[in-house]
Coordinates of all heavy atoms in Angstrom, one line a residue:
M11 N 9.7 -8.1 -11.2 CA 9.9 -7.0 -10.3 C 10.9 -7.5 -9.2 O 10.6 -8.5 -8.6 CB 8.6 -6.5 -9.7 CG 8.8 -5.4 -8.6 SD 7.2 -4.9 -7.9 CE 6.6 -3.7 -9.1
S12 N 11.9 -6.7 -8.9 CA 12.8 -7.1 -7.9 C 12.3 -6.8 -6.5 O 11.3 -6.1 -6.3 CB 14.1 -6.3 -8.1 OG 13.9 -4.9 -7.8
A13 N 12.8 -7.5 -5.5 CA 12.4 -7.3 -4.1 C 12.6 -5.8 -3.7 O 11.7 -5.3 -3.0 CB 13.2 -8.2 -3.2
R14 N 13.7 -5.2 -4.2 CA 13.9 -3.8 -3.8 C 12.8 -2.9 -4.4 O 12.4 -2.0 -3.7 CB 15.3 -3.4 -4.3 CG 15.7 -2.0 -4.0 CD 17.1 -1.8 -4.4 NE 17.5 -0.4 -4.1 CZ 18.6 0.1 -4.4 NH1 19.5 -0.6 -5.1 NH2 18.9 1.4 -4.1
M15 N 12.5 -3.1 -5.7 CA 11.4 -2.3 -6.3 C 10.1 -2.5 -5.7 O 9.3 -1.6 -5.5 CB 11.4 -2.6 -7.8 CG 10.3 -1.8 -8.5 SD 10.7 -0.1 -8.3 CE 11.0 0.4 -9.9
L16 N 9.8 -3.8 -5.3 CA 8.5 -4.1 -4.6 C 8.4 -3.3 -3.3 O 7.4 -2.7 -2.9 CB 8.3 -5.6 -4.4 CG 7.1 -6.0 -3.6 CD1 5.8 -5.6 -4.3 CD2 7.1 -7.5 -3.4
S17 N 9.5 -3.4 -2.5 CA 9.6 -2.7 -1.2 C 9.4 -1.2 -1.4 O 8.7 -0.6 -0.6 CB 10.9 -3.0 -0.6 OG 11.0 -2.4 0.7
A18 N 10.1 -0.6 -2.4 CA 9.9 0.8 -2.6 C 8.5 1.2 -3.0 O 8.0 2.2 -2.5 CB 10.9 1.3 -3.7
T19 N 7.9 0.4 -3.9 CA 6.5 0.7 -4.3 C 5.6 0.6 -3.1 O 4.7 1.4 -2.9 CB 6.1 -0.3 -5.4 OG1 7.0 -0.2 -6.5 CG2 4.7 0.0 -5.9
L20 N 5.7 -0.5 -2.3 CA 4.8 -0.6 -1.1 C 5.0 0.5 -0.1 O 4.0 1.1 0.4 CB 5.1 -1.9 -0.4 CG 4.6 -3.2 -1.2 CD1 5.1 -4.4 -0.5 CD2 3.1 -3.2 -1.3
N21 N 6.2 1.0 0.1 CA 6.5 2.1 1.0 C 5.9 3.4 0.5 O 5.4 4.2 1.2 CB 8.0 2.3 1.2 CG 8.6 1.2 2.1 OD1 7.9 0.6 2.9 ND2 9.8 0.9 1.9
T22 N 5.9 3.6 -0.8 CA 5.3 4.8 -1.4 C 3.8 4.7 -1.3 O 3.2 5.8 -0.9 CB 5.7 4.9 -3.0 OG1 7.1 4.9 -3.1 CG2 5.0 6.1 -3.6
L23 N 3.2 3.6 -1.5 CA 1.7 3.5 -1.3 C 1.3 3.7 0.1 O 0.3 4.4 0.4 CB 1.2 2.1 -1.8 CG 1.3 1.9 -3.3 CD1 1.0 0.4 -3.6 CD2 0.3 2.8 -4.0
V24 N 2.1 3.2 1.1 CA 1.8 3.5 2.5 C 2.0 5.0 2.8 O 1.1 5.6 3.5 CB 2.8 2.6 3.4 CG1 2.7 3.1 4.9 CG2 2.4 1.2 3.3
A25 N 3.0 5.6 2.3 CA 3.2 7.0 2.5 C 2.2 7.9 1.9 O 1.8 8.9 2.5 CB 4.6 7.4 2.0
D26 N 1.6 7.5 0.8 CA 0.5 8.2 0.1 C -0.8 7.9 0.7 O -1.8 8.5 0.3 CB 0.5 7.8 -1.4 CG 1.7 8.4 -2.1 OD1 2.4 9.3 -1.6 OD2 1.9 7.9 -3.3
G27 N -0.9 7.0 1.7 CA -2.2 6.7 2.4 C -3.1 5.8 1.6 O -4.3 5.7 1.9
L28 N -2.5 5.1 0.6 CA -3.4 4.2 -0.2 C -3.3 2.8 0.3 O -4.1 1.9 -0.1 CB -2.9 4.2 -1.7 CG -3.1 5.6 -2.4 CD1 -2.5 5.5 -3.7 CD2 -4.6 6.0 -2.4
E29 N -2.4 2.5 1.2 CA -2.2 1.1 1.7 C -1.8 1.2 3.2 O -1.2 2.2 3.6 CB -1.1 0.4 0.9 CG -1.3 -1.0 0.8 CD -0.3 -1.6 -0.2 OE1 0.9 -1.4 -0.1 OE2 -0.8 -2.3 -1.1
E30 N -2.3 0.2 4.0 CA -1.9 0.1 5.4 C -0.9 -1.0 5.5 O -1.0 -2.1 4.9 CB -3.1 -0.2 6.2 CG -4.1 1.0 6.3 CD -5.3 0.6 7.1 OE1 -5.8 -0.5 7.1 OE2 -5.7 1.6 7.8
R31 N 0.0 -0.9 6.4 CA 1.1 -1.9 6.7 C 0.9 -2.4 8.1 O 0.8 -1.6 9.1 CB 2.5 -1.3 6.6 CG 3.6 -2.2 6.8 CD 4.9 -1.5 6.6 NE 6.1 -2.4 6.6 CZ 6.8 -2.7 7.7 NH1 6.4 -2.2 8.9 NH2 7.8 -3.5 7.6
Y32 N 0.8 -3.7 8.3 CA 0.7 -4.3 9.6 C 2.0 -5.2 9.8 O 2.3 -6.0 9.0 CB -0.5 -5.2 9.7 CG -1.8 -4.5 9.4 CD1 -2.4 -4.5 8.2 CD2 -2.4 -3.7 10.4 CE1 -3.6 -3.8 7.9 CE2 -3.6 -3.0 10.2 CZ -4.2 -3.1 8.9 OH -5.3 -2.4 8.7
S33 N 2.6 -4.9 10.9 CA 3.9 -5.7 11.3 C 3.6 -6.5 12.5 O 3.1 -6.0 13.5 CB 5.0 -4.7 11.5 OG 6.2 -5.3 11.9
Y34 N 3.9 -7.8 12.5 CA 3.7 -8.7 13.6 C 5.1 -9.0 14.2 O 6.0 -9.5 13.5 CB 3.0 -9.9 13.2 CG 1.6 -9.6 12.6 CD1 1.5 -9.5 11.2 CD2 0.5 -9.4 13.4 CE1 0.3 -9.2 10.6 CE2 -0.7 -9.1 12.8 CZ -0.8 -9.0 11.4 OH -2.0 -8.7 10.9
N35 N 5.2 -8.9 15.5 CA 6.5 -9.2 16.2 C 6.5 -10.7 16.5 O 6.3 -11.1 17.7 CB 6.7 -8.4 17.4 CG 6.9 -6.9 17.0 OD1 7.5 -6.6 16.0 ND2 6.4 -6.0 17.9
I36 N 6.7 -11.5 15.5 CA 6.8 -13.0 15.7 C 8.0 -13.5 15.0 O 8.6 -12.8 14.2 CB 5.5 -13.7 15.2 CG1 5.2 -13.4 13.8 CG2 4.3 -13.3 16.1 CD1 4.0 -14.2 13.2
V37 N 8.3 -14.7 15.2 CA 9.4 -15.3 14.5 C 8.8 -16.4 13.5 O 8.1 -17.2 13.9 CB 10.4 -16.0 15.4 CG1 11.5 -16.7 14.7 CG2 11.0 -15.0 16.4
P38 N 9.1 -16.3 12.2 CA 9.9 -15.2 11.5 C 9.0 -13.9 11.4 O 7.8 -14.0 11.5 CB 10.1 -15.8 10.1 CG 9.0 -16.7 9.9 CD 8.6 -17.3 11.3
P39 N 9.7 -12.8 11.3 CA 9.0 -11.5 11.2 C 8.0 -11.5 10.0 O 8.3 -12.1 9.0 CB 10.0 -10.5 10.9 CG 11.3 -11.1 11.4 CD 11.1 -12.6 11.2
T40 N 6.8 -11.0 10.3 CA 5.7 -11.1 9.3 C 5.2 -9.7 9.1 O 4.9 -8.9 10.0 CB 4.6 -12.0 9.7 OG1 5.1 -13.3 9.9 CG2 3.5 -12.1 8.6
V41 N 4.9 -9.3 7.8 CA 4.4 -8.0 7.5 C 3.2 -8.3 6.5 O 3.4 -9.0 5.5 CB 5.4 -7.1 6.8 CG1 4.8 -5.8 6.4 CG2 6.6 -6.8 7.8
E42 N 2.1 -7.6 6.7 CA 1.0 -7.7 5.7 C 0.6 -6.3 5.3 O 0.8 -5.3 6.0 CB -0.2 -8.3 6.4 CG -0.1 -9.7 6.8 CD -1.3 -10.3 7.4 OE1 -2.3 -9.5 7.6 OE2 -1.3 -11.4 7.8
Y43 N 0.2 -6.2 4.0 CA -0.3 -4.9 3.4 C -1.7 -5.1 3.0 O -2.1 -6.1 2.5 CB 0.6 -4.5 2.2 CG 2.0 -4.2 2.6 CD1 3.0 -5.1 2.6 CD2 2.4 -2.8 2.9 CE1 4.3 -4.8 3.0 CE2 3.7 -2.5 3.2 CZ 4.6 -3.5 3.2 OH 5.9 -3.1 3.6
S44 N -2.5 -4.0 3.1 CA -3.9 -4.0 2.6 C -4.2 -2.7 2.0 O -3.8 -1.6 2.6 CB -4.9 -4.4 3.7 OG -4.9 -3.5 4.7
L45 N -4.9 -2.7 0.9 CA -5.3 -1.5 0.3 C -6.4 -0.8 1.1 O -7.3 -1.5 1.7 CB -5.9 -1.7 -1.1 CG -4.8 -2.1 -2.2 CD1 -5.5 -2.5 -3.5 CD2 -3.9 -1.0 -2.4
I46 N -6.5 0.5 1.1 CA -7.5 1.2 1.8 C -8.5 1.6 0.6 O -8.3 2.5 -0.2 CB -7.0 2.5 2.4 CG1 -5.9 2.1 3.5 CG2 -8.1 3.3 3.1 CD1 -5.2 3.3 4.1
A47 N -9.6 0.8 0.6 CA -10.6 0.9 -0.5 C -11.1 2.3 -0.7 O -11.2 2.8 -1.9 CB -11.7 0.0 -0.3
Q48 N -11.4 3.0 0.3 CA -12.0 4.4 0.1 C -11.0 5.3 -0.5 O -11.3 6.1 -1.4 CB -12.4 4.9 1.5 CG -13.1 6.3 1.4 CD -13.5 6.8 2.8 OE1 -13.2 6.2 3.8 NE2 -14.3 7.9 2.8
R49 N -9.7 5.3 -0.1 CA -8.7 6.1 -0.7 C -8.4 5.8 -2.1 O -8.2 6.6 -3.0 CB -7.4 6.0 0.1 CG -7.5 6.5 1.5 CD -7.3 8.0 1.5 NE -7.4 8.6 2.8 CZ -6.4 9.0 3.6 NH1 -5.2 8.8 3.2 NH2 -6.6 9.5 4.8
V50 N -8.3 4.5 -2.4 CA -8.1 4.0 -3.8 C -9.2 4.5 -4.7 O -9.0 5.0 -5.8 CB -7.9 2.5 -3.8 CG1 -7.8 2.0 -5.3 CG2 -6.6 2.1 -3.1
S51 N -10.4 4.3 -4.2 CA -11.6 4.8 -5.0 C -11.5 6.2 -5.3 O -11.8 6.7 -6.4 CB -12.9 4.4 -4.3 OG -14.0 4.8 -5.0
S52 N -11.2 7.1 -4.3 CA -11.1 8.5 -4.5 C -10.0 8.8 -5.5 O -10.1 9.7 -6.3 CB -10.8 9.2 -3.2 OG -11.8 9.0 -2.3
A53 N -8.8 8.1 -5.4 CA -7.7 8.4 -6.3 C -8.1 8.0 -7.7 O -7.7 8.8 -8.7 CB -6.5 7.6 -5.9
L54 N -8.8 6.9 -7.9 CA -9.2 6.5 -9.3 C -10.2 7.5 -9.9 O -10.1 7.9 -11.0 CB -9.8 5.1 -9.3 CG -8.8 4.0 -9.0 CD1 -9.5 2.7 -8.9 CD2 -7.7 3.9 -10.1
R55 N -11.1 8.0 -9.0 CA -12.0 9.0 -9.5 C -11.3 10.3 -10.0 O -11.6 10.9 -11.0 CB -13.1 9.3 -8.5 CG -14.4 8.6 -8.7 CD -15.4 9.0 -7.7 NE -14.9 8.3 -6.5 CZ -15.3 8.3 -5.3 NH1 -16.2 9.1 -5.0 NH2 -14.8 7.6 -4.3
A56 N -10.3 10.7 -9.2 CA -9.6 11.9 -9.5 C -8.8 11.7 -10.8 O -8.7 12.6 -11.6 CB -8.6 12.2 -8.4
L57 N -8.2 10.6 -11.0 CA -7.5 10.3 -12.3 C -8.5 10.3 -13.4 O -8.2 10.8 -14.5 CB -6.8 8.9 -12.2 CG -5.6 8.9 -11.3 CD1 -5.1 7.5 -11.2 CD2 -4.5 9.8 -11.9
D58 N -9.7 9.7 -13.2 CA -10.7 9.7 -14.3 C -11.2 11.1 -14.7 O -11.3 11.4 -15.9 CB -11.9 8.8 -13.9 CG -12.8 8.5 -15.0 OD1 -12.3 8.2 -16.1 OD2 -14.0 8.6 -14.8
T59 N -11.3 12.0 -13.7 CA -11.8 13.3 -14.1 C -10.7 14.1 -14.7 O -10.9 15.1 -15.4 CB -12.4 14.0 -12.8 OG1 -11.4 14.1 -11.8 CG2 -13.6 13.4 -12.3
A60 N -9.4 13.8 -14.4 CA -8.3 14.5 -15.0 C -8.1 14.2 -16.5 O -7.4 15.0 -17.1 CB -7.0 14.1 -14.2
R61 N -8.7 13.2 -17.0 CA -8.5 12.9 -18.4 C -9.3 13.8 -19.2 O -9.8 14.5 -19.7 CB -9.1 11.5 -18.7 CG -8.3 10.4 -18.2 CD -8.8 9.1 -18.7 NE -8.2 8.0 -17.9 CZ -8.5 6.8 -18.1 NH1 -9.5 6.4 -18.9 NH2 -7.9 5.8 -17.4

C-alpha cells in the first residue's frame, strides 16, 4: 500500500467516525490513529445483518 493510499484510507475512516486522529505539536510532527471500538462493532453488526 502506498503512503498516499494509506493516508486516504485513514482520512476516510476518520470522516466516517470509525477512527480518531490525534495530532501532537512536537518536532518531528507526530500523528496517532485509534479505532473507535463501539462504532466498529456497530458497523460490523450492520454488515452482518445485511448479508
Side-chain angles (χ1 to χ4, degrees):
M11 176 181 278
S12 69
R14 184 176 178 184
M15 182 56 115
L16 176 60
S17 179
T19 302
L20 289 171
N21 287 334
T22 300
L23 290 171
V24 169
D26 290 345
L28 297 174
E29 208 167 58
E30 291 179 322
R31 181 181 190 268
Y32 300 99
S33 178
Y34 301 97
N35 293 324
I36 59 175
V37 175
T40 303
V41 177
E42 292 181 0
Y43 291 89
S44 64
L45 289 173
I46 301 173
Q48 184 179 9
R49 295 275 178 102
V50 171
S51 178
S52 297
L54 290 174
R55 262 184 283 176
L57 288 173
D58 191 41
T59 57
R61 288 187 193 175

